[in-house]
Amino acid sequence: MKKESVTHLTGEGNYAWLHYSDGRKHITAQTLKHLESVLPEYIRIHKSFLVNPAYIRKVKPFPHTLSGVVILVNGTELPVSRRRWPQVEDRLSRIRKGP
């Protein structure tokens, strides 16, 4: 797996789909929880989604809620859960500020 070209991962039970920037998909027999531990630079935005912050174009909050969507550079919209919204905002603001 060339992790730099993976835009996001989608979990399905004990399997995960890796979505690549060129549109390819690959399934792996690993859970998102495991992949989250080996890909610490990726952000868990939902129980079913792990996203590469390098491919996030925009974060769109929903009015009057603590949730929203991330929009990737290829136009894909992925939901951010209410539970994870504060961590996602925090991680992205730290990434954008830089070291």
Side-chain angles (χ1 to χ4, degrees), residues 12-94:
E12 290 185 21
N14 290 325
Y15 297 91
W17 283 98
L18 286 71
H19 299 261
Y20 291 90
S21 58
D22 63 5
R24 289 179 302 122
K25 291 190 328 183
H26 175 76
I27 194 164
T28 182
Q30 296 175 330
T31 65
L32 274 187
K33 185 174 184 167
H34 170 74
L35 292 167
E36 184 177 18
S37 71
V38 298
L39 298 168
E41 65 276 17
Y42 283 56
I43 302 172
R44 186 73 174 258
I45 62 168
H46 189 277
K47 68 179 181 178
S48 301
F49 299 104
L50 194 58
V51 68
N52 182 342
Y55 288 95
I56 295 175
R57 184 180 75 211
K58 183 178 178 183
V59 178
K60 185 172 138 186
F62 293 141
H64 313 295
T65 66
L66 285 175
S67 66
V69 295
V70 294
I71 302 169
L72 304 182
V73 294
N74 64 6
T76 300
E77 291 190 17
L78 301 172
V80 179
S81 70
R82 284 180 304 204
R83 186 175 136 233
R84 296 189 187 272
W85 184 258
Q87 294 94 337
V88 170
E89 282 189 315
D90 182 56
R91 284 276 308 272
L92 289 175
S93 69
R94 283 190 279 134

